[in-house]
């Protein structure tokens, strides 16, 4: 899963497959699950415990528990990230109840309702998917339309600056970008329909 930009559906499916592989004792699957989920789960533990070391310890407990109980994961009942987030919350609350955490921790009763303000994993993946689609659709445009749009929108250049740099009339640049944006929109809408 590392090193590849996957759609959110593909990411969820890859995580589900890794969970099933882990249930069969595949150690590499645990590494893949860890790489895909540790930031989100650490955030949950840290919010509840308020202490980095305690959150790290709770996170370690999450993955040890996962190693022992991966066979209990049922993809029909929960998504992998939801199931793991519940593990993380429960481990952190257990540490609070055991009295292992004193400073900056939220009271146990409040930990039950703690909201996670960080972007959800699926939202981050959807953002990455959207960015990937935009770059794919930009790649479908002809030069110099593609470079004009990239320069205008990614570098913040004005139409006048683009016209001066290209040595072309301002109207030509505006028309080129307007037509390119229409094609880009059509491509993105087509990708959304797939």
């Amino acid at each position: 899963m590392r090193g590849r930009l996957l759609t959110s559906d593909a990411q969820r499916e890859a995580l589900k497959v890794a969970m099933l592989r882990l249930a069969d004792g595949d150690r590499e699957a645990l590494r893949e699950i860890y790489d895909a989920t540790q930031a989100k789960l650490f955030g949950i533990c840290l919010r509840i415990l308020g202490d980095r070391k305690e959150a790290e310890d709770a996170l370690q407990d999450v993955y040890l528990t996962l190693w022992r109980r991966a066979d209990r994961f049922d993809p029909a009942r929960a998504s992998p990230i939801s199931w793991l987030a519940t593990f993380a919350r429960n481990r952190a609350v257990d540490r609070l109840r055991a009295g292992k955490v004193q400073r900056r921790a939220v009271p146990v009763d409040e930990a039950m309702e703690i909201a996670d303000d960080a972007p959800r994993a699926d939202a981050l993946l959807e953002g990455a998917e959207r960015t990937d689609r935009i770059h794919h659709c930009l790649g479908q445009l002809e030069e110099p339309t593609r470079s004009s749009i990239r320069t205008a929108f990614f570098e913040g250049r004005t139409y006048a600056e683009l016209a001066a740099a290209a040595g072309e009339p301002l109207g030509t640049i505006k028309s080129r970008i307007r037509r390119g944006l229409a094609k880009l929109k059509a491509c993105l809408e087509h990708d959304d329909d797939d």
Side-chain angles (χ1 to χ4, degrees), residues 32-104:
E32 292 174 19
I33 294 165
Y34 177 84
D35 288 344
T37 63
Q38 61 92 18
K40 175 80 170 170
L41 301 183
F42 178 73
I44 292 169
C45 294
L46 186 60
R47 273 192 182 79
I48 293 171
L49 297 168
D51 181 274
R52 188 169 194 80
K53 169 120 177 53
E54 291 295 335
E56 289 169 355
D57 290 347
L59 187 64
Q60 182 177 351
D61 289 346
V62 169
Y63 290 106
L64 288 172
T65 302
L66 175 61
W67 176 252
R68 290 190 303 265
R69 297 185 182 169
D71 60 329
R72 295 184 186 176
F73 171 67
D74 181 358
R77 294 184 66 199
S79 71
I81 195 67
S82 296
W83 197 66
L84 291 168
T86 301
F87 265 31
R89 187 191 136 295
N90 291 345
R91 289 301 154 264
V93 169
D94 289 347
R95 292 182 83 74
L96 283 177
R97 286 186 178 145
K100 294 182 178 180
V101 181
Q102 304 297 324
R103 332 166 255 136
R104 297 190 327 248

Side-chain angles (χ1 to χ4, degrees), residues 90-127:
N90 291 345
R91 289 301 154 264
V93 169
D94 289 347
R95 292 182 83 74
L96 283 177
R97 286 186 178 145
K100 294 182 178 180
V101 181
Q102 304 297 324
R103 332 166 255 136
R104 297 190 327 248
V106 298
V108 173
D109 294 342
E110 289 180 33
M112 301 304 247
E113 301 299 325
I114 246 177
D116 186 0
D117 296 333
R120 292 181 8 192
D122 59 341
L124 291 172
L125 291 171
E126 286 172 13

Side-chain angles (χ1 to χ4, degrees), residues 169-180:
L170 180 61
T172 301
I173 296 296
K174 286 182 176 181
S175 296
R176 179 182 299 145
I177 290 177
R178 186 174 49 253
R179 284 191 309 272

Side-chain angles (χ1 to χ4, degrees), residues 129-191:
E129 176 186 354
R130 189 172 30 255
T131 299
D132 188 45
R133 280 197 328 255
I134 290 169
H135 286 288
H136 166 76
C137 288
L138 275 171
Q140 303 299 309
L141 298 176
E142 302 162 357
E143 279 297 337
T145 303
R146 175 178 43 240
S147 62
S148 294
I149 290 174
R150 283 184 188 272
T151 305
F153 292 94
F154 295 141
E155 296 178 20
R157 297 283 186 85
T158 66
Y159 293 140
E161 289 173 328
L162 291 172
E168 296 185 54
L170 180 61
T172 301
I173 296 296
K174 286 182 176 181
S175 296
R176 179 182 299 145
I177 290 177
R178 186 174 49 253
R179 284 191 309 272
L181 289 174
K183 289 179 182 178
L184 186 62
K185 180 180 178 188
C187 177
L188 291 170
E189 287 172 351
H190 174 73
D191 282 356

